[in-house]
Amino acid sequence: MTIDFYWRLPTHGCHGSIRHGTYDRGDWSPLGPHNIAPGLDRDGEDDGFRYIDHLAEIAKAAESAGFIGGLIPSFPNTDDPWVISPLLARETRSFRFMIAFQPGFLNPVHAARMSASLQRATGGRTVFNIITGGGGPAQLWWGDSFSHDDRYGRTTEFLDVFKGVWKGQGFSYQGRFYQVEDGGLSPLLALEELPEIWFSGSSDAALQSAAKHADYYLSWLEPFDQLADKFARVKERTAALGGEQKCAVRVDLVARPTEEEAWRDIRIGFENVGDERRRASRGGPTDSVGAARQQALRPSEAQRYEDLIVAPNLWGGFNLLRGGPALGIVGSYEQCAAKLDELIARGTDAFILAGTPHLEEAYRVGEEVLPLLGGQAEALLQAAE
């Protein structure tokens, strides 16, 4: 069985180290002497090296280190993945671009035509990460006031129409959210392959939509038993519809030559987190089931980094260091590879990995961790005991 590995591309700037929270790559923070993309030239002026140039460096690093493609995330504070992806496609040869987007913000017919055009231009390198929104104030930022289950209903209809018009002319659809009469892509565009669909969401409504439309069901890392149970439920629902579901995990790694070095970086990063960041990491109102499951993993008033260790080599405080999901993997190269192997054994078919800083860690994880998969890491760990 082939396991696909993607790398995450930070469309919101990047930290130069997991040990501090300053966004010193990109212009999301005020420019300082250690910034890059842009940096400061010898006269103290912007050196003209744009952040898209830095993202291209990360994409090329990931491609050369063995990753099949990259996730282009979408949040209110990021650049837009639909714009970033074709720019990076010109810088790489076979690297796939997983565009994260909320379907409710696009017309599905227009999205199908855009996607088919992107497939033609890139040689079929488009992949989708379908997200349906976390609710609360973050969703209203986008001007979207639909309820949780209505958003998933809209996502399902969007994908019904998206796939329907791709199949050719004469497609009609009468749904609650979308109506199409005699639609369809032009014959040339319809020849392109549908983008692979990776689907995020942990609620029952999400699992129902994923069972109908997803090629991969994507989850943040959770405790392994909990994750295996979620994967089993989505596979069962897909099987009931006559399909077969693959499952994927999005997870950050801190992989170092020794476990002690990995936990030292975590400790220093934790000790450098300020009070404001700690308060923000507790999260605001949300109807996201996935976010709630992450919040339940960690004590709200952790005083030491050890308080956030939820299992051997699993740490629940990553959101303190760089935002996003809380749980990630920490350990030696062998320990990190063994954890990935364990996830594969529990039903994971693909991964989106990440590390900070994204450029250097793409090389490190690709060259030091991925080659140890397939049982090699476990054998090395047993030999060392």
Side-chain angles (χ1 to χ4, degrees):
M1 180 176 67
T2 301
I3 305 295
D4 286 344
F5 287 90
Y6 286 77
W7 188 250
R8 185 176 185 274
L9 303 182
T11 46
H12 44 62
C14 189
H15 310 293
S17 169
I18 194 70
R19 295 182 174 190
H20 65 74
T22 303
Y23 281 90
D24 51 9
R25 298 184 177 191
D27 51 4
W28 279 260
S29 296
L31 293 185
H34 302 296
N35 276 69
I36 61 172
L40 298 175
D41 62 20
R42 66 177 62 187
D43 298 320
E45 302 294 331
D46 183 330
D47 65 2
F49 187 65
R50 304 268 66 86
Y51 192 67
I52 187 65
D53 301 319
H54 182 61
L55 285 176
E57 288 185 330
I58 299 173
K60 287 188 281 191
E63 183 176 44
S64 67
F67 293 92
I68 193 173
L71 168 66
I72 319 292
S74 176
F75 297 102
N77 64 327
T78 67
D79 284 318
D80 190 273
W82 289 96
V83 175
I84 295 297
S85 297
L87 295 173
L88 297 182
R90 303 288 289 180
E91 303 286 339
T92 52
R93 301 182 64 179
S94 61
F95 202 64
R96 300 178 186 175
F97 298 93
M98 186 183 294
I99 298 173
F101 71 101
Q102 298 194 40
F105 306 160
L106 292 173
N107 175 282
V109 179
H110 182 58
R113 193 177 68 153
M114 281 200 307
S115 304
S117 298
L118 193 54
Q119 289 289 67
R120 273 170 52 79
T122 64
R125 289 194 272 156
T126 308
V127 180
F128 285 164
N129 173 207
I130 299 294
I131 49 180
T132 304
Q139 201 63 26
L140 290 173
W141 183 92
W142 298 97
D144 185 15
S145 59
F146 279 61
S147 69
H148 176 276
D149 286 1
D150 279 349
R151 292 200 303 276
Y152 279 100
R154 183 178 60 186
T155 291
T156 302
E157 286 196 10
F158 176 97
L159 292 171
D160 289 343
V161 173
F162 183 90
K163 291 181 175 180
V165 297
W166 201 296
K167 293 177 181 176
Q169 299 295 316
F171 173 78
S172 295
Y173 187 88
Q174 293 296 321
R176 178 184 171 197
F177 301 98
Y178 302 106
Q179 296 81 43
V180 178
E181 294 290 341
D182 201 23
L185 294 183
S186 69
L188 198 58
L189 291 176
L191 288 174
E192 296 297 321
E193 287 193 16
L194 275 164
E196 200 169 72
I197 293 174
W198 292 46
F199 197 101
S200 301
S202 296
S203 65
D204 285 342
L207 299 187
Q208 184 174 351
S209 186
K212 184 176 185 181
H213 283 300
D215 297 300
Y216 284 88
Y217 173 74
L218 174 63
S219 175
W220 288 343
L221 182 66
E222 297 181 3
F224 287 11
D225 288 342
Q226 186 173 308
L227 188 66
D229 176 68
K230 186 160 67 169
F231 283 174
R233 284 189 288 131
V234 73
K235 289 185 177 186
E236 181 181 351
R237 294 192 183 202
T238 307
L241 295 175
E244 185 176 348
Q245 185 68 263
K246 294 181 178 179
C247 293
V249 174
R250 148 88 179 93
V251 57
D252 272 51
L253 306 176
V254 173
R256 298 291 182 267
T258 66
E259 182 176 15
E260 290 73 22
E261 290 174 80
W263 285 116
R264 183 169 65 236
D265 278 355
I266 288 292
R267 177 183 58 77
I268 294 172
F270 180 83
E271 291 172 352
N272 283 331
V273 175
D275 291 340
E276 183 178 353
R277 180 64 205 164
R278 291 175 191 272
R279 285 192 294 271
S281 71
R282 293 167 191 154
T286 177
D287 57 17
S288 166
V289 174
R293 289 164 73 104
Q294 292 283 312
Q295 289 174 0
L297 296 174
R298 57 187 186 269
S300 58
E301 299 296 340
Q303 299 299 314
R304 309 172 307 146
Y305 81 91
E306 294 97 325
D307 296 337
L308 298 170
I309 298 175
V310 300
N313 301 111
L314 298 186
W315 192 62
F318 274 85
N319 62 315
L320 288 167
L321 307 185
R322 51 85 181 104
L327 194 60
I329 299 173
V330 180
S332 66
Y333 299 146
E334 294 81 5
Q335 289 170 324
C336 290
K339 285 296 178 186
L340 297 179
D341 268 341
E342 186 177 348
L343 287 168
I344 293 169
R346 288 171 176 259
T348 303
D349 301 291
F351 292 90
I352 300 171
L353 304 181
T356 301
H358 288 72
L359 175 60
E360 291 87 338
E361 293 300 310
Y363 285 120
R364 187 201 297 268
V365 174
E367 295 173 355
E368 304 289 355
V369 177
L370 298 191
L372 297 175
L373 294 174
Q376 297 183 60
E378 190 61 38
L380 290 170
L381 289 169
Q382 290 180 3
E385 290 179 352

